[in-house]
Amino acid sequence: MSERILFGYYRSSAAFRVRIALALKGLDYEYRAVDLKPSANDHKAPGYLKLNPQGRVPYFIDHGFGIAQSPAILEYLDEVYPDAALLPAKAQERAWVRQLVNVVGCDIHPLNNLSVLQKLKGQFDADQSATNEWYAYWIIEGFKALEAMLLDNNYRGDFCFGNLPGMADVYLVPQIWNARRFNVALDAFPTLERIYAACQEHPAFMKAMPENQPDAPRE
């Protein structure tokens, strides 16, 4: 068995975050796909629920220690593997980065998670058009705040915080990838688009992209 195992789904934003962090830190791991599509429901299989009772991805095992929830995994990785730190050294700088992280992790992503979209369709009869409108609304509201924060700050650089990628980029890139997947117009967010473009040039982000994962559909 590999020393590190990541259970994920290629299109999961949360698993995407962890893949980026592992790549930034140069940590090898075994990838185990968990198919979230209703036709598969791998995340509801008894064996997976025994590992992660919440039945979500990602789930990460490091030398026998298992943990769920991407924020916890990312903090763990930064503490145990401090090289290529995801968070700045100073408390005020860490707090500034964490506010960016929480716009995505607390205000955008939970409202647009797969389980929420399925609930909208299943219980409230939302069609695909209504679901897309819901998705776009929360993306745009959160991105308005992020654009303003990133445009007017003391930490400007190629990435969200200065000229090295870090925790805020780890959260931002999967959210922009999903926004594009749902055809959300991003013209009003040139700063976010600029940072996303810089990340696309970084090998760690490219390695972690959904289309580069073993479980991604192949044409």
Side-chain angles (χ1 to χ4, degrees):
M1 179 180 292
S2 174
E3 293 179 344
R4 301 183 197 91
I5 302 171
L6 176 63
F7 293 83
Y9 179 60
Y10 78 102
R11 218 162 54 189
S12 161
S13 295
F16 192 173
R17 296 169 194 160
V18 177
R19 293 196 305 263
I20 296 170
L22 287 165
L24 285 170
K25 290 179 174 293
L27 299 174
D28 294 329
Y29 62 95
E30 176 187 342
Y31 181 76
R32 295 190 185 177
V34 179
D35 195 339
L36 303 183
K37 295 191 297 292
S39 58
N41 275 336
D42 288 353
H43 56 303
K44 296 182 180 179
Y48 187 70
L49 289 173
K50 186 176 181 181
L51 274 177
N52 182 7
Q54 196 175 19
R56 295 179 182 267
V57 294
Y59 188 79
F60 182 63
I61 299 176
D62 184 27
H63 294 79
F65 170 70
I67 186 171
Q69 291 290 345
S70 64
I73 297 170
L74 294 170
E75 294 276 355
Y76 169 82
L77 288 173
D78 222 24
E79 292 174 6
V80 176
Y81 303 101
D83 289 346
L86 301 176
L87 288 168
K90 297 180 180 178
Q92 290 183 348
E93 293 174 347
R94 289 197 301 273
W96 191 85
V97 169
R98 283 182 172 124
Q99 72 171 342
L100 303 178
V101 164
N102 287 337
V103 172
V104 175
C106 300
D107 297 336
I108 300 176
H109 180 244
L111 290 165
N112 284 340
N113 206 355
L114 178 62
S115 59
V116 173
L117 302 182
Q118 289 176 340
K119 190 73 170 177
L120 289 172
K121 293 177 179 179
Q123 184 171 342
F124 301 102
D125 297 322
D127 60 16
Q128 192 60 51
S129 176
T131 303
N132 290 349
E133 184 177 347
W134 168 278
Y135 194 97
Y137 175 82
W138 296 112
I139 287 278
I140 291 169
E141 286 300 297
F143 279 9
K144 285 178 183 175
L146 285 175
E147 180 74 16
M149 292 174 182
L150 288 164
L151 189 60
D152 184 20
N153 70 85
N154 296 322
Y155 311 117
R156 294 180 68 178
D158 294 337
F159 298 95
C160 288
F161 182 88
N163 292 316
L164 293 174
M167 188 74 81
D169 308 286
V170 165
Y171 274 77
L172 177 64
V173 166
Q175 197 62 72
I176 291 182
W177 188 92
N178 272 312
R180 289 182 166 187
R181 175 179 161 235
F182 277 81
N183 297 313
V184 179
L186 301 178
D187 295 346
F189 312 112
T191 306
L192 302 188
E193 289 273 63
R194 176 185 60 75
I195 293 169
Y196 186 79
C199 291
Q200 295 305 290
E201 298 296 320
H202 195 290
F205 288 85
M206 292 306 300
K207 181 178 180 180
M209 291 296 286
E211 57 267 27
N212 294 330
Q213 303 316 302
D215 55 330
R218 299 290 186 259
E219 294 183 359

